[in-house]
Amino acid sequence: METVTLTIKNQPELYLEADNITPDAFAGKKAEEIAALHVYIGREQHQLGDFFEVSGGAGATPEETKVVVNGDLSRVKYIGMKMTGGEVVVNSNADMYVGAWMQGGKITVNGNVDAFAGTGMKGGEIVVNGNAGNYLGAAYRGDWRGMADGKITVAGNAGSDLGTFMNGGEIVIGGDVDVHVATHAEGGKIVIKGNAKSRLGGQMVGGEIYVLGNIDVMMPGFAYREDVDIEMDGIKGRFALYEGDLGERHRKRKGQLIYAKLYQQIGA
Amino acid sequence: MTKTVTDVICPFCGTLCDDLEVVVSDDGKELFEVYNACAIGAEKFLHSQAKDRITRPRMRQEDGSWKEISYDEAIEYTARMLADAKKPLMYGWSSTNCEAQAVGSEIGEAVGAVMDNTATVCHGTSLIAVQDIGIPSCTLGEVKNRADRILFWGCNPAHAHPRHMSRYSIFPRGFFTGKGHAGRKMIVVDPRPTDTASLADIHLQIEQGHDYELLDALRVAFKGEQLPDFVGGIPKAKIYEVAETLKSGRFAIIFFGMGVTQSIGKNHNIDAAIAVTRDLNEYTKAAIMPMRGHYNVTGSGQVWGWLFGFPYAVDLSRGFARYNPGETTSNDLLRRDEVDAVFVLGSDPGAHFPFSSVKKIYNLPSVAIDPHETPTTEVCKVHVPVAFVGVEVGGCAYRMDNVPIETRKVVEAPEGMMTDEEFLSRVLARVKEIKGV
Ligand code: SF4
């Protein structure tokens, strides 16, 4: 695997839209060619090289390309957008849309990500070693097909509107989450190792939520069913199983309604 | 001598009353009386007659004082500011006509602006919900003639839309609602005991911030499923009762306001309320409608809807329309320093935005187009006074139920004053010159 290293040298006035920072856009290119790729500030078009020091070179394909981005990227949007393979390592905080509409490969952020990371994700993996903002792994505005596949892991906390319209894939949050989790979800799995506030699984059709900590307010549409023992992916213990959202429409299997499931840990 | 103009439209709130009568001087230069309007509506007309009205553009000087400038100078400043900016914000658009909104949109496209209207701090969240799950709605005429179950959720029309209840929702006798008030059941959901709530048959005094849960509970109740003993402080027996009341009507309508659109949950609250409406259609006829505030905020959503495909928070900076509230909404842009110039027309963010955002406007090149002196004009570099739309110039406006109504000119603007549309057309022409297109 070949490595391209980008180091930010000029901070943008306003914000930089850098949807070209992906193994896909870099693949098969030399450092000078990569530096000539477009970025935008508002309506102005600039070159990647105006803001970044580019070194190394890309592999022939996205899969053979690793991109390392250094320096303060808290005003850089769209890193890893729509990437299909290869690897991106961000050694900083990053702004909005990290890995949005991602299809494959891996993004590691050694810092925090702002809102809309993993929007409409179709595959691949995002690892955030800090906190995530709102709308992590959610659908884009107006899209009823949210995250379809892939995995997002956040070491810290996540904001509100996690996994809206989620259809598949997995999101694991090491810390706490804000309100509205898996709204309208039809599938997929969300694990919250810390505490949750309220509105978990509102209007949820299918899929699973696991909460290891507290839930401030349970949705009235979730009914307690039974206690179960669970052991999977490093989670082990006794959980209370709730089903819902009883107010929402649900599919049937063998004449039985299939509800979304919410597991809350109650013992070791 | 005087004359009376009838069937005048009130350009104040989204109710857009169309039955006002206005007494003006024979030469049409002075306005004396307004009949049929509520107090806030009448005030809008009478305001145009203020003797101390500002009639020429002004530019802020170094020492903070104003200096009068010509319209030409104001047009030059505005066009330069917008053409020079990398990403200008063009905000407001709710208290003007659709004609001006359309010209403003052309400017926005030419300079790569972010176009946003007052929905951003009001019913924008409703628009997100509508985009997510659709909306079964109707006109106010249908409400008047058919509705016998009226639910006001998080809104207080007694004060915000004073003639709404008398003209459309509660008191009028319509074709199938011959008994008027007596034939309707009125439900109010509000944590406060408001003047609207005091008229209700049922007032659900919900705990603040539990609207989403209560809406979900109604859906559970419609299906006859079990509920917890209390939801948002409301006992479950009461929730089943309200569910029954709504189901048993011939036509149910839910009106909702900023109590749900701007409290925790925002678009999710409306999403759930729309789902409640959809569920109700399994048992009876039901519709839902936002209580839009400014008289033509609905129109600006319409104009942008057909021009750009999105009703507010439209980012045109890259030459195509992008829309993502949370990123492209005015307060997020200001808070995050994403814009480098601010143009305001037909709204008063100085009064309605958080102080931190207003401070950002103060620090940027900024122009405010407004007939009045407002908190916004106080923080902007240039203030351009214009004629009052719906009083001194006509034009199209959309009522809260998306019905377009042509407003009327009833009195002349002071000598030499421009309208929004005239000013914007001149700015557009100048922008095109600067850009060489
Ligand atoms: S209710 Fe609204 S539109 Fe009607 S007169 Fe009053 S302010 Fe004007």
Side-chain angles (χ1 to χ4, degrees), chain A residues 170-188:
Chain A
E170 187 180 350
I171 303 177
V172 180
I173 307 298
D176 303 339
V177 298
D178 207 336
V179 295
H180 291 287
V181 175
T183 311
H184 286 297
E186 307 237 354

Side-chain angles (χ1 to χ4, degrees), chain A residues 94-112:
Chain A
D95 196 47
M96 294 175 170
Y97 300 107
V98 169
W101 300 284
M102 179 176 181
Q103 294 177 29
K106 182 175 178 184
I107 301 178
T108 307
V109 180
N110 294 314
N112 304 327

Side-chain angles (χ1 to χ4, degrees), chain B residues 146-412:
Chain B
R146 295 177 187 275
D148 62 346
R149 297 290 183 270
I150 322 291
L151 173 54
F152 287 111
W153 201 304
C155 56
N156 187 10
H159 291 283
H161 300 82
R163 298 181 73 216
H164 189 277
M165 289 191 286
S166 59
R167 275 174 64 81
Y168 300 113
S169 49
I170 301 296
F171 299 109
R173 293 166 196 271
F175 200 80
F176 300 108
T177 49
K179 294 207 195 97
H181 187 199
R184 294 186 170 99
K185 282 240 182 322
M186 175 178 173
I187 304 167
V188 172
V189 184
D190 202 309
R192 306 162 304 167
T194 60
D195 287 337
T196 304
S198 69
L199 296 169
D201 296 291
I202 303 174
H203 175 204
L204 298 181
Q205 206 165 352
I206 184 179
E207 283 168 18
Q208 175 89 42
H210 287 272
D211 303 275
Y212 188 71
E213 284 87 354
L214 187 57
L215 286 158
D216 188 53
L218 277 174
R219 300 186 71 198
V220 174
F222 292 153
K223 292 199 164 65
E225 297 275 2
Q226 274 307 308
L227 280 173
D229 292 343
F230 289 89
V231 177
I234 310 292
K236 70 174 170 190
K238 198 85 199 164
I239 299 171
Y240 286 119
E241 181 197 327
V242 168
E244 247 350 279
T245 305
L246 289 170
K247 275 160 92 168
S248 66
R250 281 177 298 134
F251 187 119
I253 174 82
I254 301 176
F255 291 107
F256 60 95
M258 285 178 60
V260 267
T261 64
Q262 293 299 327
S263 61
I264 184 172
K266 298 191 169 188
N267 57 307
H268 298 283
N269 298 336
I270 312 314
D271 193 315
I274 293 171
V276 163
T277 313
R278 214 168 47 190
D279 289 358
L280 271 175
N281 276 296
E282 306 240 330
Y283 312 99
T284 180
K285 168 76 187 161
I288 179 167
M289 193 185 299
M291 296 287 269
R292 304 303 296 268
H294 290 70
Y295 73 90
N296 198 25
V297 60
T298 311
S300 89
Q302 288 281 351
V303 169
W304 293 348
W306 57 258
L307 284 174
F308 304 131
F310 304 108
Y312 79 114
V314 187
D315 180 350
L316 302 169
S317 59
R318 292 270 295 266
F320 50 92
R322 289 181 294 178
Y323 161 82
N324 194 7
E327 181 198 17
T328 60
T329 24
S330 301
N331 280 300
D332 298 284
L333 295 167
L334 290 167
R335 172 178 64 84
R336 283 163 45 86
D337 293 316
E338 286 221 43
V339 288
D340 52 356
V342 180
F343 171 97
V344 181
L345 184 149
S347 169
D348 188 6
H352 303 138
F353 279 12
F355 183 66
S356 52
S357 297
V358 179
K359 239 166 108 179
K360 297 283 170 95
I361 299 176
Y362 178 78
N363 289 327
L364 288 170
S366 47
V367 177
I369 320 300
D370 202 303
H372 302 275
E373 268 188 288
T374 65
T376 305
T377 61
E378 279 316 294
V379 298
C380 285
K381 309 295 168 291
V382 166
H383 170 207
V384 183
V386 278
F388 279 90
V389 175
V391 180
E392 296 164 345
V393 57
C396 181
Y398 279 73
R399 203 166 62 184
M400 61 167 73
D401 55 355
N402 287 298
V403 171
I405 297 177
E406 199 65 23
T407 67
R408 303 183 61 178
K409 170 179 176 172
V410 293
V411 66
E412 294 292 337

Side-chain angles (χ1 to χ4, degrees), chain A residues 56-267:
Chain A
T61 65
E63 287 71 27
E64 295 160 280
T65 303
K66 177 174 173 178
V67 182
V68 178
V69 201
N70 297 324
D72 182 8
L73 305 164
S74 47
R75 294 175 88 86
V76 182
K77 296 184 190 182
Y78 294 114
I79 294 174
M81 176 169 137
K82 294 187 179 168
M83 67 184 266
T84 63
E87 208 184 326
V88 175
V89 178
V90 179
N91 289 316
S92 154
N93 297 338
D95 196 47
M96 294 175 170
Y97 300 107
V98 169
W101 300 284
M102 179 176 181
Q103 294 177 29
K106 182 175 178 184
I107 301 178
T108 307
V109 180
N110 294 314
N112 304 327
V113 294
D114 208 302
F116 308 111
T119 285
M121 187 168 172
K122 291 201 176 78
E125 193 182 352
I126 300 177
V127 177
V128 179
N129 288 318
N131 301 320
N134 300 334
Y135 290 95
L136 177 72
Y140 192 55
R141 290 281 175 214
D143 200 339
W144 64 95
R145 298 147 301 192
M147 182 168 171
D149 206 349
K151 183 171 179 181
I152 302 176
T153 311
V154 176
N157 304 325
S160 69
D161 298 273
L162 174 70
T164 306
F165 282 106
M166 190 170 179
N167 272 331
E170 187 180 350
I171 303 177
V172 180
I173 307 298
D176 303 339
V177 298
D178 207 336
V179 295
H180 291 287
V181 175
T183 311
H184 286 297
E186 307 237 354
K189 181 167 120 183
I190 295 179
V191 179
I192 300 156
K193 295 193 174 162
N195 302 319
K197 288 184 174 161
S198 62
R199 294 130 184 255
L200 279 89
Q203 299 165 281
M204 196 174 177
V205 177
E208 297 165 7
I209 304 175
Y210 297 80
V211 181
L212 274 56
N214 301 321
I215 299 173
D216 287 351
V217 183
M218 184 68 82
M219 284 297 292
F222 273 76
Y224 170 76
R225 299 291 196 226
E226 59 179 338
D227 290 352
V228 291
D229 287 313
I230 288 176
E231 188 168 359
M232 55 152 219
D233 307 342
I235 300 174
K236 186 167 180 289
R238 197 148 178 83
F239 285 71
L241 165 63
Y242 296 79
E243 284 190 327
D245 178 337
L246 302 184
E248 189 52 64
R249 76 190 152 82
H250 292 282
R251 285 182 283 264
K252 273 188 176 169
R253 195 183 298 139
K254 294 194 183 124
Q256 290 284 313
L257 284 169
I258 311 298
Y259 293 104
K261 292 180 163 47
L262 196 166
Y263 299 87
Q264 185 179 18
Q265 185 158 28
I266 47 172

Side-chain angles (χ1 to χ4, degrees), chain B residues 10 12-13 15-17 20 37-38 40-41 161-164:
Chain B
C10 172
F12 189 81
C13 84
T15 315
L16 219 54
C17 293
L20 273 50
C38 67
I40 50 179
H161 300 82
R163 298 181 73 216
H164 189 277

